Amino acid sequence: MTLIPDPTPTRRPSRAARRARTAAGLILSLVATLLGLLLVTFFIGRIVPIDPVLAVIGERATAAQYAAAREALGLDQPVWMQFLIYVRDALTGNFGTSILTRRPVMEDIARVFPATLELATIATIFGVLLGIPAGVVAATRPGSWIDQLVRLVGLAGYSMPVFWLGLMGLLLFYGILGWVGGPGRLDSGYEMMFEFDVPRVTGMILIDTALAGKWDIFRNAVSHIVLPAGVLGYYSMAYISRMTRSFMMNELSQEYITTARVKGMPEWRVVWVHALRNVMVPLITVIALSYATLLEGSVLTETVFAWPGLGLYITNALFSADMAAVMGGTIVVGAVFVFLNMLSDVLYRLVDPRARS
Amino acid sequence: MPSTLWFRPAGLALAAAMMLGTAPAALLAATPEDTLVIAAQIDDIVSIDPAESFEKSGGDLINNVYDSLIELVPGTSELTGGIAESWDVAEDGVTFTFTIREGITFHSGNPVRAEDAAFSIQRAVKLDKTPAFILTQFGLTPDNVDERVTFEGNTLTILIDEPVAPTFVYNCLTARIASVVDKELVLENEVDGDLGYEWLKSNSAGSGAFRLLTFRPNESYVLEAAGDYWRGDVQLNRVFVRHVPEPATQRLLLERGDVDVARDLTPVDVEGIAGNEALKVDEAPAGYIYYLALNQKVEPLNNPAVIEAMRWLVDYQGMADTFLKGQYIPRQSFLPTGFLGALDETPYSLDIEKAKSILEEAGVEPFTAKLTVRNNQDRMEIGQALQNTFAQAGITLNLSVGAGAEVLGEFRGRQHEITLQSWGPDYPDPHTNASTFTVNPDNSDEAGLTGLLAWRTAYEPGELQEMTEAAVRESDADTRRAMYEEIQRIHRDTSPFIPMFEEVDQISMQANVNDYHPGGGVDAATYWLATK
């Protein structure tokens, strides 16, 4: 018997099917990433030689109180059972109760994350607004004084400890010059006004006060966020400007740039429209990574500026072996990375026509 | 390329950033006139339920929101009436009665009754959280507390199991676990018979000078004057306590006038503000004793000559004068300043030669031991100083630094060799420290008496234990004082504990803040008398 080839040509899957497949792949990778995160954090938590029970009961507890607390935390179960229980609860959105604050971890994170989100967003805006132009300018004039200046500023941004920079910034702009608000998200008086007079919508003070039309609190919040965001933004600026410079140097040596120049296109258009647009794809990744790093929470900045954010929360939890809080925080950070990854993908499609086809 | 073109976007961005940064400068405000704003490290608060709270910062909150049966006169260890206006003990020595003050109300408006006082003690004993031992040491158990703590009319009766010094009972009743909670309100919020435990984690049910307005763990809490306080007029309308983890940041806030009080400045910061006339620093003993514990299961740390030599190898004064300046003072006995029987004697000082000769006479060869300390700046520096002086007498100390819970876990498990620890009193009676430093009824590992420091370091106190048990029964104050003095001397010279320092609280504040009582070693902070 002769095998006759099927006369109907293989049909390409429809656009909807392709999308569904992409989405399924994305969800699968998301689930795998989060599960992996859970697994690693959970077991690290079990390996560290810190007893979480002691963090709850303190120095004086008797052996009986210790045993009772251990049982209440579920630590008397076998490790694999503890993990399964944890995953089961996590799937229903229950990340357990923090042993330090005695509140559901998700409630805690919902409280601290907006503070970090607000700070990281403004810092990233600083970083992008200053870093990209600085990188572009440096690339257009390699070796010039301006290039050296950008390099120097960038290098300083990388090398100076954030703790020191934050303290010095506070000392100068808050302590001596009085140009900005001090540590914390608001002055004490405004903080109480915010507490009692402003409905919580997002937990981000700038947005909530703007929505409520409380512009005096809003302005006070701006005066408080500008310095920590500036310090963090400086770091992200240093990174973004160096990367922009290197991408642009590469792009400006391309033939199409020479062609454009030969055709008499104005230089600003060559640089800011043609070349910059082409480096946006790798730049988006750089910016997203930098943003994600800030969203993890910068512990040192949050400590210096008494900023009650995610970094401080997770660090406190780690020191106290508050593993429910550590794992909840890790999942949130992991989810942020995954989300920003997806966002970068979407943005690629917007700026790069090839990615759309 | 014309330079103006490529400067445009950068210039705009820079200008925007500058405007954001400088525009709101004029809006900065000092602290509100009717509010005391305090910067402190309050991330130690685990609970704000009086039946469970046991940390320093939580004590400050509870002391101002709740009243106890008996109170301490702020800034002293003198007893005064609280919810109970008078109290007495029957001739049997075990029946204590308290007459409840009439006319006091809780913040909810409910009257404060003997029934509430009885419920509060019963609740604390039944919940059996860490501080419950302050009450259960009188023979109260979850099973018998309803029969032993009773009320009739406005009289509360507590029946204890055996006669003790009455002041010991009264002192214990000033502790925050004996705070009186609003029975009706708490039971209204009870879930599954939890005696309001879940609800009181973030709410309050007291009759104190202030009501709790908000509590955000690791961030802040706000108290508001409850109005018509029975102990006198509350001077300020609100108290706002902000968590500021970094001492240098606390200092800046204080210097700029954005907080009225800063609780945690380092010695360097305190020195730094010394010339500032707008600020002042108050000092009060913090009650914490810093000591070394030598595990008696480990050779040669159980050799009395080694322990004796080590007492001469600590540079008590040198450390207190340099990196611990102002915040620790030498203390060589286990009771803090202000306690009945507290000893100010400091017979030991750094004497390398003497230590060497003690070791030589006892035929002790040079040896190595592990010293465990918490990862806290002061403690690590103390550890390094000890390393230096011990080495001069042939004792090599290997410093092992760990997180608080890790170091504590090792100590509680009797796994340490030498450990640097601190101990703060639980209630203003000498028995609080005597009962842990000198009592160990069963030195076996299986006994698991983790609450007793003597057990943790495998120390058999011998006659000291009986002396402590006798002292707590002694009703004559002078005799009792003499007994504790003797106990401490024997303990100081023979036990494997080397008390070194007492912590001093340095509270920095605006010069216009008055009558802010930080509490010291015996009490928590009192806000209601403070003015500014």
Side-chain angles (χ1 to χ4, degrees), chain A residues 49-51 54-63 65-66 99-103 111-112 126 129-130 133 137 140-141 145-146 163 167 170-171 174-192 195-196 200 216 219-220 222-224 226 267-268 271-272 302-306 308 312-313 316 319, chain B residues 1 5-7 9-10 13-14 17 20-22 24-25 27-29 31-32 35 37 43 45-47 52 54 128-130 132-133 197 201-202 213-220 222 238 240 242-246 248-249 252-253 256 258 291 374-375 403 405-406 408-409 411-412 421-426 448 450-451 453 456:
Chain A
I50 299 177
D51 187 345
L54 286 177
V56 189
I57 56 169
E59 172 118 358
R60 271 70 162 182
T62 61
Q65 284 164 333
Y66 177 92
I99 54 178
L100 272 188
T101 65
R102 304 294 169 96
R103 308 222 276 201
R111 204 184 67 243
V112 296
F126 271 16
L129 285 184
L130 296 175
V137 167
T140 53
R141 298 211 151 180
W145 67 270
I146 196 120
F163 190 78
L167 269 180
L170 264 181
L171 187 66
Y174 165 67
I176 297 171
L177 298 171
W179 288 359
V180 298
R185 295 174 79 188
L186 288 168
D187 283 356
S188 309
Y190 287 114
E191 193 155 334
M192 282 188 286
E195 184 74 46
F196 303 118
R200 297 293 159 97
D216 48 346
R219 281 195 295 268
N220 189 258
V222 171
S223 82
H224 277 261
V226 74
E267 184 65 15
W268 65 267
V271 173
W272 293 100
E302 289 180 359
T303 306
V304 172
F305 289 95
L312 210 54
Y313 178 75
N316 273 339
F319 280 142
Chain B
M1 184 169 64
L5 293 177
W6 48 260
F7 260 131
L14 196 68
L20 267 174
T22 52
L27 292 162
L28 296 180
T31 59
T35 305
V37 182
D43 52 351
I45 300 182
V46 169
S47 170
E52 184 173 39
F54 215 39
D128 194 26
K129 298 299 171 189
T130 306
F133 74 92
Y197 175 64
K201 280 176 184 172
S202 48
L213 223 48
T214 61
F215 170 60
R216 298 185 177 279
N218 294 350
E219 264 180 54
S220 63
V222 181
R238 278 181 180 171
F240 178 25
R242 284 173 65 178
H243 176 55
V244 180
E246 173 55 35
T249 310
L252 271 175
L253 282 164
R256 291 286 303 169
D258 282 341
Y291 62 91
R374 288 185 185 200
N375 54 0
E406 186 184 349
L408 182 57
F411 189 29
R412 286 172 62 99
Q421 297 282 339
S422 65
W423 184 266
D426 303 316
T450 50
L453 296 180
R456 286 188 203 168

Side-chain angles (χ1 to χ4, degrees), chain A residues 116-318:
Chain A
T116 296
L117 184 63
E118 196 168 38
L119 184 60
T121 306
I122 298 202
T124 303
I125 292 173
F126 271 16
V128 170
L129 285 184
L130 296 175
I132 292 182
V136 171
V137 167
T140 53
R141 298 211 151 180
S144 68
W145 67 270
I146 196 120
D147 184 28
Q148 302 295 353
L149 183 71
V150 170
R151 190 198 309 271
L152 189 75
V153 170
L155 194 69
Y158 272 137
S159 336
M160 270 192 279
V162 66
F163 190 78
W164 183 83
L165 197 65
L167 269 180
M168 288 303 115
L170 264 181
L171 187 66
L172 180 66
F173 295 110
Y174 165 67
I176 297 171
L177 298 171
W179 288 359
V180 298
R185 295 174 79 188
L186 288 168
D187 283 356
S188 309
Y190 287 114
E191 193 155 334
M192 282 188 286
M193 281 162 68
F194 177 68
E195 184 74 46
F196 303 118
D197 303 341
V198 179
R200 297 293 159 97
V201 182
T202 63
M204 286 182 271
I205 295 183
L206 293 177
I207 295 182
D208 287 358
T209 50
L211 288 176
K214 300 278 183 189
W215 297 107
D216 48 346
I217 309 180
F218 177 86
R219 281 195 295 268
N220 189 258
V222 171
S223 82
H224 277 261
I225 204 169
V226 74
L227 192 58
V231 169
L232 286 179
Y234 183 34
Y235 281 81
S236 101
M237 183 207 75
Y239 180 51
I240 292 171
S241 69
R242 292 317 291 162
M243 297 311 283
T244 309
R245 180 185 182 277
S246 122
F247 295 147
M248 280 297 281
M249 291 281 283
N250 184 42
E251 209 57 37
L252 289 173
S253 65
Q254 300 288 322
E255 283 181 0
Y256 77 92
I257 295 287
T258 316
T259 313
R261 281 178 177 153
V262 169
K263 280 167 74 182
M265 186 181 280
E267 184 65 15
W268 65 267
R269 201 172 160 83
V270 172
V271 173
W272 293 100
V273 178
H274 286 253
L276 185 59
R277 192 160 176 192
N278 276 304
V279 303
M280 278 322 280
V281 172
L283 258 188
I284 284 171
T285 314
V286 166
I287 294 168
L289 264 179
S290 154
Y291 188 37
T293 311
L294 294 184
L295 279 176
E296 277 177 55
S298 167
V299 181
L300 292 178
T301 313
E302 289 180 359
T303 306
V304 172
F305 289 95
W307 200 267
L310 186 65
L312 210 54
Y313 178 75
I314 297 182
T315 312
N316 273 339
L318 260 177

Side-chain angles (χ1 to χ4, degrees), chain B residues 133-149:
Chain B
F133 74 92
I134 298 173
L135 299 172
T136 57
Q137 64 186 338
F138 298 114
L140 302 177
T141 65
D143 296 329
N144 72 16
V145 71
D146 286 345
E147 289 85 55
R148 290 188 173 221
V149 179

